[in-house]
Amino acid sequence: MSPGLVLVGTGFLFGLLFGSFLNVVIHRVPLGANIVPRSACPSCKAPIPWYRNLPLFSWLALRGKCRDCGIAISVRYPLVELAGGLILGFALWRWGPGWSAASSTLFGYTMLVLSLIDIDHRILPNIITLPGTLLGLALSFADPRRVPLESILGALLGGGVLYAVAYLYLKMRGREGMGMGDIKMMLLIGAFLGWKGALTTIFIGSLAGSLIGVLVIKLSRRGWEYALPFGTFLAMGAVIVDAYGPEILRWYVATFAPVV
């Protein structure tokens, strides 16, 4: 077995553990609860011992039900754990061990947490977005893919563009169309991805939000006033840009620049 495959596989297994912790953050942070106490069943609140809290495997072994009360445990819990493994494994495969993989993993985990909290509660907590912005700026000095000045510009431009859009929407429609949470999330994204990555994220996120949002509204038969979790679409765009941003820009320039 090649060393690279061993590295990715090991990263995947450790990522499952991180994914288990992400489940705790996603559930407790919006409620203002402490993330330190050990896991408990969301239904009966019975503490879950470590041997029944093995990421992914315990859920499968228990057939998705609590051992104490028998109530079904959402499939999202093992899916988040699986995502935690895939994010770390992919980062190691894409960048190899080092600061780039560490930055990409932390960024991916943050986007996963924010996207699911936004789906559940339509909020993007300051306790995640603001420290995350500082972390992104700090990592720009270590990650060889990043340039500190571009990270600063990315945070300012990313947040500034969304603030301008929100302000114009408020003036034209007389009501808010975007919360400050989305703006602060773009500060974070810009700090990690730089100004080019921030603009590309806004484009991809807006496109995904338009296409998927229309489909969701049509299928659910909700009105056009239905509040979509825009932060979730920004997160989708951001993880794509983090992984393949330069390739996307090169493709865009090669495809459309000759036409201009």
Side-chain angles (χ1 to χ4, degrees):
M1 186 178 295
S2 68
L5 187 58
V6 172
L7 176 67
V8 172
T10 303
F12 173 77
L13 293 177
F14 274 100
L16 293 178
L17 296 174
F18 293 136
S20 182
F21 175 71
L22 296 181
N23 272 319
V24 175
V25 175
I26 292 165
H27 178 69
R28 297 183 185 178
V29 166
L31 304 178
N34 194 329
I35 63 173
V36 175
R38 67 178 184 175
S39 299
C41 171
S43 298
C44 68
K45 310 303 179 185
I48 301 175
W50 68 267
Y51 54 85
R52 291 211 305 256
N53 198 26
L54 299 176
L56 193 58
F57 303 107
S58 291
W59 189 90
L60 293 172
L62 294 171
R63 298 182 180 180
K65 295 181 180 180
C66 173
R67 182 69 176 271
D68 294 288
C69 66
I71 299 296
I73 298 175
S74 172
V75 70
R76 196 172 80 176
Y77 285 92
L79 288 179
V80 170
E81 293 167 350
L82 179 61
L86 292 174
I87 288 171
L88 179 52
F90 176 81
L92 289 170
W93 172 80
R94 182 78 170 97
W95 311 112
W99 282 108
S100 292
S103 176
S104 186
T105 300
L106 290 171
F107 183 67
Y109 286 168
T110 304
M111 291 298 101
L112 177 61
V113 167
L114 287 174
S115 65
L116 292 178
I117 289 177
D118 201 22
I119 289 174
D120 290 343
H121 303 278
R122 297 299 191 272
I123 61 172
L124 296 163
N126 290 340
I127 196 172
I128 297 175
T129 56
L130 298 182
T133 300
L134 296 178
L135 178 62
L137 293 174
L139 285 172
S140 70
F141 290 89
D143 187 345
R145 301 176 299 160
R146 311 299 181 208
V147 177
L149 179 58
E150 289 193 0
S151 290
I152 295 172
L153 292 175
L156 295 175
L157 185 60
V161 168
L162 283 200
Y163 181 83
V165 171
Y167 178 80
L168 291 174
Y169 187 93
L170 177 62
K171 288 298 182 182
M172 291 188 297
R173 300 292 298 272
R175 59 184 177 83
E176 289 188 353
M178 184 182 303
M180 286 299 296
D182 297 311
I183 296 169
K184 294 172 186 176
M185 184 175 179
M186 275 309 305
L187 288 174
L188 187 160
I189 291 172
F192 271 92
L193 303 185
W195 68 272
K196 294 178 183 177
L199 293 179
T200 308
T201 295
I202 292 174
F203 174 77
I204 295 176
S206 299
L207 181 62
S210 299
L211 297 176
I212 299 175
V214 169
L215 181 61
V216 169
I217 289 173
K218 288 290 187 181
L219 292 178
S220 63
R221 297 183 179 180
R222 304 192 184 201
W224 292 103
E225 303 301 317
Y226 174 64
L228 290 167
F230 187 49
T232 301
F233 299 115
L234 289 176
M236 291 170 54
V239 295
I240 293 172
V241 172
D242 180 55
Y244 295 106
E247 289 85 350
I248 292 172
L249 288 175
R250 283 196 293 269
W251 170 83
Y252 181 86
V253 171
T255 304
F256 296 102
V259 180
V260 177

